[in-house]
Amino acid sequence: MPEESVLPVETKEISIIPPEHEQIIKEIAKEPSPNKNERYLYRFGPAIVFLLNTGLRGGELLALGQSSIVPFLGRHGIKITHTLSRVKNREADSKKRTKTILPPPKYPNSL
């Protein structure tokens, strides 16, 4: 392996949300809406809480469907089989610049 100093791109450090900030984010995401027709103040609040509790990536969450919920040890579990990605559309006759695809997860351990 080459040394990191000779690589054109430096490795970035991963920043992790501190537990006290995580709790604040969860509380804000679950705030009730003042409107009678909506349950939460923030539309994707429950999804944010789900991501924080499970450690899923955003693309994995967006690719979940009904078939992703599977029985597991007498309870329900989630099976990750796809991830949603937005890529540049390279089709010559298309007017759209990007398209969404559902490839398998990046790492085999993600399945």
Side-chain angles (χ1 to χ4, degrees), residues 13-107:
E13 281 194 38
I14 298 172
S15 60
I16 298 173
I17 300 172
E20 58 273 8
H21 292 177
E22 186 178 318
Q23 189 59 36
I24 293 168
I25 293 169
K26 287 179 183 178
E27 288 173 12
I28 292 171
K30 292 190 286 186
E31 275 189 34
S33 174
N35 300 334
K36 300 286 184 196
N37 59 348
E38 296 186 29
R39 188 170 175 189
Y40 295 103
L41 181 60
Y42 297 101
R43 180 178 175 189
F44 297 109
I48 292 169
V49 173
F50 186 76
L51 288 173
L52 288 170
N53 287 335
T54 60
L56 288 177
R57 293 178 175 91
E60 293 171 344
L61 175 70
L62 292 171
L64 290 178
Q66 282 270 316
S67 62
S68 300
I69 301 170
V70 294
F72 181 73
L73 299 176
R75 300 175 77 185
H76 288 92
I78 302 167
K79 186 171 184 176
I80 305 299
T81 56
H82 294 91
T83 182
L84 184 79
S85 298
R86 182 172 294 277
V87 296
K88 186 175 181 178
N89 192 354
R90 299 188 186 276
E91 297 171 6
D93 58 343
S94 178
K95 294 181 181 179
K96 294 184 179 181
R97 298 167 96 182
T98 62
K99 65 179 179 178
T100 55
I101 58 172
L102 287 170
K106 187 186 277 187
Y107 301 105

